[in-house]
Amino acid sequence: MLGSLVVHRGEQAVLVGAAKQRSLLAALLLRAGRSVSVDELAECVWADNAPRRMVSTLRVYLMRLRQLLGEPELIETTSTGYVLRVRDQDLDLGRFEDLAGRGMAASAAGELDEAVALFDRALDEWRGPALADVHSEALHRVEVPRLQERKLDIEAARIDAVLRKGGHRGLIGPLSRLTEQHPLREQFWAQLMLALYRSGSRAEAVDAYHTLRDLLAERLGIDPGPEVEGLHSAMLSRDPALDRAPVAQEPTPSQVAPVVADFMGRDAEAEVICGLLDAGVTSATVPVVTVCGPPGVGKTSLATFVARQCHERFPDGQLFADLRGYSAGVPRSTSSVLTGFLRALGVPPEQVPAEQDEQAAVYRTLLDGKRVLVVLDNVAHAEQVRPLLPGTPGCAVLVTSRQELRGLIVTNDARLVPLGVLAPGAAVALLARILGEDVFAAQSDAVKRLAELCGHLPLALRIAAANLVGRPQLDVAAYVREFRSGDLLAALSAEGDEAATRAAFDLSYAKLPPPVQATFQLVGHIPGPDFTPEAVAVLADMPVVQAARHLERLATTNLVQRKPGGRYHLHDLLRDYALLRRAEQARDERARTVGTGCAGGGSARRPSCVLRVRESGAPRRALWRCCPS
């Protein structure tokens, strides 16, 4: 593909003579191993001039292509289109990307001779312009420029490695040709300026800068970018750092934050996680451990603690990324996470590939043979994790999520570590440590009651303690009295702190479908320590199967907890939150009817329904008293 489209079966060349068959084959090869839809194939073959019988004509082309290749099973029909199965090493594009990725990894590790050799082998795969004899408007508009840009990136990476080796004199000729062929590509100009400067041709280096500046001003109306401008200033001041670039040392990333102050009460869970990560270090697969639990339970704090405890087990570093799966902002893209990881692993910013697949390939190459712990925090679904998994054993992955991420369990044999609230003793000890042992000694009963009101939830405990510490007089009993008399969730809001308990719950609640949200609101009305799907079915007036589905969805999101015997439990603070959500919805519904009255002639000021739940043994019954509407 990197030149004219050529197919070989063993030593024998296979002639794909028909122009549309070449376009079809090229489209499948560019996405080798991935399903390509009929519409995508049609666009590559016909652009906007597809025949009326497009699908049947495409099937004929595919049948003939299978016959030409001599191995019909290479092209599979899928539910969404077609996929061509070919190994990377059997495709020049696959070999190019593999060698380029290995070259980037060697360059980042300071192995410059190895990097240059790999880059040379990668560039040798090119025999001319990509898809030179494939007449497809769509491919030449989108894919060919992308491939050409990738080739130029690798050429620039090779030149960078040679410059770092001190081979500047031999680069002046090639760089002069490259700047002539690609006059608006600033990176080549910067490399030419540096090569000239180090070769003693400082006046010519400054002339190269002025040539570029004039070109950009004339054609684009802009000035050179900060890299070129910085290099020009350094040359004018004869900065000694320009004389010879130091060979980069292989970095050891350490991105995990310090352990939160007063972390405690999680020794048992930490020991389990460390054991699972240890077991994977010597296994044939990459161990993946998922810590899941309700909002505010301390998943991130535990992951940070474990990462620091396991520091010596992963001597090649620790990578950390907040995926923002449950946050007010936009979830972080996989590409941005990979870009950050590659930079942390030593890849210069200008050498980070633009495409996510290429980023992942370089990332896995850099981690090959290393022992690195990858911590992925605040994950919403399994698809956020899979592209970030290392490819070879030795590394390990620690994930935190409010979901159970069952997809990871199925496909990657992930181990699940559920995290609940603190034990009562640990919750009291946490408050005592923050408030001070003298305060606890004098007001122990009030501190214990405060821990109970917080439901032993770490986030709630910390917010309550922060509110107390900020008061002139640290009277825990008085705070407990006002705590009990008002809205618990409102009391657990630290001024200016977005991590307030309600805000944490809001983010999980917002991810639920509306029917499951409605079920969660109703569950808050159920008295008693636990409940069954049958009780929820009666309360919500829905089939038991549907109620069980909704409860399982709530359980996987950790808004309710499973109990033995097919029963479920709702944390006290989450119960208050469910009731608050129910009241807010009723208030919104009443507001929408102001001035219109109710449909049955009743007063718009009355709630349309008042719900009471009575328990008299089993089963539970829901009694409804309704207004005329």
Side-chain angles (χ1 to χ4, degrees), residues 174-183 189:
L175 280 168
S176 297
R177 289 190 292 273
L178 284 169
T179 53
E180 185 177 346
Q181 294 166 359
H182 309 282
W189 283 100

Side-chain angles (χ1 to χ4, degrees), residues 114-176:
E114 177 70 8
V116 172
L118 288 166
F119 287 140
D120 284 339
R121 289 172 58 193
L123 294 168
D124 284 345
E125 294 291 338
W126 285 75
R127 296 168 287 106
L131 303 177
D133 60 347
V134 174
H135 304 295
S136 167
E137 178 186 336
L139 293 180
H140 280 273
R141 184 179 66 250
V142 178
E143 298 295 344
V144 171
R146 179 183 67 82
L147 293 174
Q148 180 64 21
E149 189 68 19
R150 178 64 172 152
K151 179 190 178 187
L152 293 176
D153 285 342
I154 298 308
E155 288 193 46
R158 179 195 179 278
I159 291 169
D160 178 72
V162 175
L163 281 170
R164 290 160 62 195
K165 285 176 57 181
H168 39 270
R169 292 186 183 277
L171 290 173
I172 295 175
L175 280 168
S176 297

Side-chain angles (χ1 to χ4, degrees), residues 348-372:
E350 67 275 7
Q351 294 183 19
V352 174
E355 298 291 328
Q356 180 180 311
D357 288 349
E358 297 168 3
Q359 292 170 349
V362 177
Y363 165 69
R364 290 183 174 126
T365 301
L366 286 170
L367 293 184
D368 190 13
K370 302 276 184 67
R371 290 176 59 182
V372 172

